[in-house]
C-alpha cells in the first residue's frame, strides 16, 4: 500500500461523498467525528451482542436465551458490521480500484469473513459456533485505533493550524477622519493601520509613527521582545506590547511573511521523504504477507482437522494483526512533527530530502559578511597611547565623529552608545579632506584622522598591537590633541557573538567549519582565527563561489550558508543550501532551508534536528515492522499447544497499540 494515501483514506473512510476536506483541517475534523460516532454506536450495540453470545454466556456461567434471540444477535451484528465496518468496506473498494491493496483491504477481508461465516452458522448453512462477539469487538477496537491515530495526525499538524489562527480578522485603518475597523482582507499596500497595545499586527508593513516592542516568538522563534521605531518592519501576527504605533501596509494576502511560512510548511509536510519510499515498499510486502499467510493459516488448520470456525478465526487474526497502520504513520507523522517544530523555531524547510541529508554533513561553509559578521563597521580594539583610559578616549572620539554620517564615524559613535558613555558636546566641526575630521570638545581641539594624515605630519606610531591590527586588514583611526597622539581605534566588520557558539557547536559534532568571502585575505584570516575556522577562502568573486563549493563537495558532504542572493549559485551547488538572515523575505528560491532569524547557531540546530528526525523515522520503521515477527506466528496459532491463543480482538488491540506507540514516539521529537 502507498502510505501516502493513508490520510486520504482516513479523511474519506466512513462517509459518502458529501463533503470535501478543508485545506487546514475541517475535513480532518469531520472524519474524526465520524469515526468517534461510529465507535460509540458500535460499542453500545456490542453490549447486547456479548450478552447474547453463547461463548460469553458459557465463559461467565449464565444463560440468556429467548425465542428469536439468535436472530436478534444476527441483526445487531449486521448493523455493527455495516455501520461500524463501513470505513473499512469503503476502503477496500478504493484500494482495489487503484490496484493497491492495503490496510483497509486486510481489515475488510477479516471482518467480512468473520461475519459471513457467523451468519451462515445462524442460518443453518454450516455447522459450528459463530463469533459475532469477536466480530463486534474487533470492529470496535479498529474504530478506536483509527480514532486515536487520526487525533495523532491532527495533533502533529496543530502547530500549522495555530499559525493560521495567528492573523487577526480586523484592523484599525487610519483615515482622514480618524480610524475605522475593516476586515484584514480589505487592506491594500499603502494603507495605514493603527496597532494598539496588546493587539496583533494585521499585515506586514513598516512603522511610520510611534515606538514599541513586539513579541515575534510564534513567527521567528525570537524569544525576546523586538524594539520597533519608525522605519522598522513589522510582521503580521506579531503581538504589540506597550506602545501604540501606526504602520504602513506593504504586503497583504499570500505575499505576507506568515502566508509564505504556511505554504512552505505545508509543502514540506507533503513532500516525500526517502524513508517514505522504504515504508511504502515494506507496507506492500506486509499486505502480501498478511493475505498469503492468512490463506495458508486457514488451509493448514482445515487440513489439520480443525473446524471451519477455528480456521476462519486464525486467518482473520493474522490479517488483522498484520495491518500496516503503524508503518503507514511511521514516516508521515515524524515529517509533520519535525516540520512544524522547525517552523516554530525559525527553520523553514523547503526540501525534505536536503533536510534529511543534513544529518550526514561533514563540512559547513559560511559566507562572511552578514552571516558570520554583522555586515557593519564597529570598533574591535581600542589602543590608549597616552595617559587617558579607553572610555575617555572613546568619549572624545565619539564627540568628534558625531556629526559625520561616514560608516567609520557611525561605528565609533555606536561603540560609545553600547558602552553607555555620555558623549560630550562638540562644535566648530571641520573636515580634513580625505584624512579625517576635527572639532572642539570642551575647549580642546581633537582630531580623528587616518594613518595617511600621520604620515604627512611626520608622526610615528611605535605600537605593535596597532601595527598588528593594520596587518589584519582592519581600519585604524587615530585620535590627536594638537600633535599629541592620544590613542587609536581599530574598526572592522563586527563578528557576531553567535558565530563563535555556532562554530563551537558544529565542531563539537565533528563538522568542519569554513568561510567563503570576497573580502581581502588579511580580513578573512583575522575572522577565521577569531572563530577557530578550519579553512577559509578569501578574495573569491561571486561567480567563483559555486566552483569553490564544488571543490569542497569533492572532499566532504557540505552545506553552504549565505544570504540567498549573491550566494545563490553556491547554495544550489552545495549538498544542503541554507539561506540565513532572510527576515520577512521567505521565498529564497535557491535555498533548501531558510533561517528566519539572522543567527548562525541555527545551522547547528538544523543538523541536530535532522539527526533526531531520522532517528525517529528509523525507530518507527523498526517497531512498525519488527513486532510482526512475533505477532504473526502467535496469530496463526503456532503456540496453541502451549495454551496460547490470540483472538481477533486481541490482535486488533496489539495492532492498534503499535500504531499508538509510533504516534507517541513521533510526538516525543518535541522533547
Amino acid at each position: 500500500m502507498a502510505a501516502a494515501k493513508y490520510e486520504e483514506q482516513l479523511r474519506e473512510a466512513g462517509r459518502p461523498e458529501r463533503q470535501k476536506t478543508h485545506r487546514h483541517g475541517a475535513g480532518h475534523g469531520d472524519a474524526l467525528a465520524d469515526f468517534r460516532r461510529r465507535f460509540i454506536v458500535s460499542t453500545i450495540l456490542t453490549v447486547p451482542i456479548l450478552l447474547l453470545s453463547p461463548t460469553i454466556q458459557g465463559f461467565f456461567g449464565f444463560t440468556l436465551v429467548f425465542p428469536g434471540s439468535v436472530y436478534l444477535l444476527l441483526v445487531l451484528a449486521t448493523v455493527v458490521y455495516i455501520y461500524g465496518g463501513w470505513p473499512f468496506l469503503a476502503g477496500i473498494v478504493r484500494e482495489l480500484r487503484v490496484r493497491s491493496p492495503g490496510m483497509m483491504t486486510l481489515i475488510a477481508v477479516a471482518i467480512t469473513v468473520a461475519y459471513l461465516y457467523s451468519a451462515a452458522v445462524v442460518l443453518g448453512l454450516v455447522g459450528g459456533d459463530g463469533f459475532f462477539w469477536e466480530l463486534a469487538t474487533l470492529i470496535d477496537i479498529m474504530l478506536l485505533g483509527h480514532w486515536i491515530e487520526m487525533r495523532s495526525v491532527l495533533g502533529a499538524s496543530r502547530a500549522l493550524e495555530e499559525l493560521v489562527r495567528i492573523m487577526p480578522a480586523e484592523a484599525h485603518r487610519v483615515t482622514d477622519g480618524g480610524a475605522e475597523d475593516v476586515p484584514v482582507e480589505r487592506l491594500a499596500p499603502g494603507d495605514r493601520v493603527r496597532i494598539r497595545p496588546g493587539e496583533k499586527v494585521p499585515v506586514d508593513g513598516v512603522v511610520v509613527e510611534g515606538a514599541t516592542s513586539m513579541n515575534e516568538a510564534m513567527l521567528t522563534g525570537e524569544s525576546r521582545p523586538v524594539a520597533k521605531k519608525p522605519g522598522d518592519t513589522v510582521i503580521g501576527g506579531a503581538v504589540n506590547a506597550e506602545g501604540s504605533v501606526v504602520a504602513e501596509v506593504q504586503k497583504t494576502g499570500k505575499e505576507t511573511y506568515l502566508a509564505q511560512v504556511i505554504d512552505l510548511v505545508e509543502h514540506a509536510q507533503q513532500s516525500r521523504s526517502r524513508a517514505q519510499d522504504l515504508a511504502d515498499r515494506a507496507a506492500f510486502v506486509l499486505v502480501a504477507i498478511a493475505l498469503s499467510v492468512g490463506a495458508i493459516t486457514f488451509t493448514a488448520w482445515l487440513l489439520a482437522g480443525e473446524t471451519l470456525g477455528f480456521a476462519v478465526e486464525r486467518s482473520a487474526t493474522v490479517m488483522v494483526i498484520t495491518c500496516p497502520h503503524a508503518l503507514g504513520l511511521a514516516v508521515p507523522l515524524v515529517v509533520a512533527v519535525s516540520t512544524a517544530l522547525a517552523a516554530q523555531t525559525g527553520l523553514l524547510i523547503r526540501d525534505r530530502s536536503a533536510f534529511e541529508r543534513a544529518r550526514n554533513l561533514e563540512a559547513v561553509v559560511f559566507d562572511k559578511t552578514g552571516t558570520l559578521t554583522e555586515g557593519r563597521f564597529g570598533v574591535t580594539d581600542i589602543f590608549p597611547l597616552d595617559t587617558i583610559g579607553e572610555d575617555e578616549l572613546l568619549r572624545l572620539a565619539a564627540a568628534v565623529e558625531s556629526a559625520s554620517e561616514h560608516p567609520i564615524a557611525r561605528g565609533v559613535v555606536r561603540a560609545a552608545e553600547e558602552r553607555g558613555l555620555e558623549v560630550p558636546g562638540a562644535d566648530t566641526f571641520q573636515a580634513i579632506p580625505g584624512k579625517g575630521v576635527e572639532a572642539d570638545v570642551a575647549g580642546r581641539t581633537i582630531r580623528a584622522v587616518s594613518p595617511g594624515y600621520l604620515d604627512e605630519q611626520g608622526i610615528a606610531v611605535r605600537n605593535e598591537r596597532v601595527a598588528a591590527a593594520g596587518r589584519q586588514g582592519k581600519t585604524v583611526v587615530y585620535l590627536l590633541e594638537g600633535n599629541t597622539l592620544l590613542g587609536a581605534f581599530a574598526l572592522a566588520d563586527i563578528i557576531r557573538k553567535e558565530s563563535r557558539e555556532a562554530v563551537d557547536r558544529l565542531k563539537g559534532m565533528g563538522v568542519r567549519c569554513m568561510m567563503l568571502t570576497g573580502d581581502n585575505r588579511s580580513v578573512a584570516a583575522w575572522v577565521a582565527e577569531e572563530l577557530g575556522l578550519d579553512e577559509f577562502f578569501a578574495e573569491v568573486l561571486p561567480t567563483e563561489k559555486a566552483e569553490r563549493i564544488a571543490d569542497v563537495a569533492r572532499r566532504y558532504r557540505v552545506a553552504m550558508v549565505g544570504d540567498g542572493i549573491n550566494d545563490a549559485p553556491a547554495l544550489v551547488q552545495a549538498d544542503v543550501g541554507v539561506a540565513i538572515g532572510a527576515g520577512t523575505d521567505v521565498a529564497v528560491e535557491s535555498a533548501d532551508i531558510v533561517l528566519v532569524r539572522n543567527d548562525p547557531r541555527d545551522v547547528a540546530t538544523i543538523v541536530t534536528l535532522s539527526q533526531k528526525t531520522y532517528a525517529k523515522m528509523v525507530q518507527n520503521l523498526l517497531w512498525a515492522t519488527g513486532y510482526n515477527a512475533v505477532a504473526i506466528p502467535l496469530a496463526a496459532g503456532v503456540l496453541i499447544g502451549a495454551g496460547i491463543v490470540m483472538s481477533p480482538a486481541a490482535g486488533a488491540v496489539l495492532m492498534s497499540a503499535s500504531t499508538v506507540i509510533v504516534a507517541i514516539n513521533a510526538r516525543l521529537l518535541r522533547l
Side-chain angles (χ1 to χ4, degrees), residues 204-269:
D204 292 3
V206 60
V207 177
V208 295
E209 179 185 316
T212 186
S213 62
M214 293 189 177
N215 182 350
E216 299 177 350
M218 275 291 288
L219 299 164
T220 67
E222 175 57 63
S223 58
R224 296 171 298 180
V226 181
K228 301 292 181 182
K229 61 183 184 302
D232 290 340
T233 58
V234 293
I235 307 174
V239 180
N240 187 22
E242 70 281 352
S244 177
V245 295
V246 174
E248 182 175 301
V249 177
Q250 290 185 322
K251 297 178 181 178
T252 60
K254 294 183 178 180
E255 295 180 352
T256 63
Y257 166 78
L258 186 59
Q260 292 180 62
V261 169
I262 291 170
D263 284 343
L264 281 180
V265 173
E266 285 186 325
H267 175 76
Q269 287 186 348

Side-chain angles (χ1 to χ4, degrees), residues 593-641:
I593 301 171
V594 179
L595 305 187
V596 176
R597 300 186 299 184
N598 202 358
D599 191 337
R601 291 176 298 185
D602 287 340
V603 179
T605 303
I606 290 173
V607 178
T608 301
L609 184 59
S610 176
Q611 291 172 343
K612 293 184 180 297
T613 296
Y614 186 77
K616 286 296 181 187
M617 287 181 179
V618 172
Q619 291 167 14
N620 278 0
L621 288 175
L622 289 176
W623 172 259
T625 55
Y627 90 99
N628 283 289
V630 175
I632 292 176
L634 288 178
V638 295
L639 293 182
I640 195 168

Side-chain angles (χ1 to χ4, degrees), residues 224-421:
R224 296 171 298 180
V226 181
K228 301 292 181 182
K229 61 183 184 302
D232 290 340
T233 58
V234 293
I235 307 174
V239 180
N240 187 22
E242 70 281 352
S244 177
V245 295
V246 174
E248 182 175 301
V249 177
Q250 290 185 322
K251 297 178 181 178
T252 60
K254 294 183 178 180
E255 295 180 352
T256 63
Y257 166 78
L258 186 59
Q260 292 180 62
V261 169
I262 291 170
D263 284 343
L264 281 180
V265 173
E266 285 186 325
H267 175 76
Q269 287 186 348
Q270 294 167 6
S271 64
R272 296 221 24 111
S273 162
R274 289 185 177 182
Q276 186 64 62
D277 293 332
L278 176 61
D280 284 349
R281 290 194 294 270
F284 184 81
V285 170
L286 273 182
V287 171
I289 290 174
L291 294 175
S292 58
V293 173
I296 292 171
T297 298
F298 175 78
T299 304
W301 283 117
L302 283 181
L303 294 176
E306 290 292 341
T307 64
L308 178 61
F310 182 85
V312 168
E313 183 182 78
R314 293 299 92 223
S315 179
T317 306
V318 166
M319 287 185 285
V320 166
I321 209 166
T322 319
C323 288
H325 282 175
L327 197 57
L329 285 174
V331 173
L333 270 183
V334 176
V335 168
V337 172
S338 67
T339 306
L341 181 61
Q344 288 177 325
T345 53
L347 313 177
L348 302 182
I349 301 168
R350 301 185 68 248
D351 187 316
R352 284 296 317 177
S353 60
F355 173 67
E356 290 179 21
R357 289 196 297 271
R359 77 182 190 278
N360 293 321
L361 285 177
E362 298 171 312
V364 174
V365 179
F366 292 93
D367 175 49
K368 180 182 77 71
T369 305
T371 301
L372 292 176
T373 67
E374 296 181 6
R376 63 177 176 85
F377 259 116
V379 174
T380 61
D381 307 274
I382 302 176
F383 308 106
L385 301 175
D386 197 54
T387 56
I388 63 176
E390 287 189 4
D391 285 354
E392 180 62 18
L393 194 65
L394 189 55
R395 288 177 68 250
L396 292 174
V400 175
E401 300 280 21
S402 60
S404 174
E405 291 299 323
H406 192 280
I408 292 177
R410 291 290 87 205
V412 172
V413 173
R414 191 183 302 110
E417 293 173 347
E418 290 173 352
R419 289 198 178 200
L421 302 178

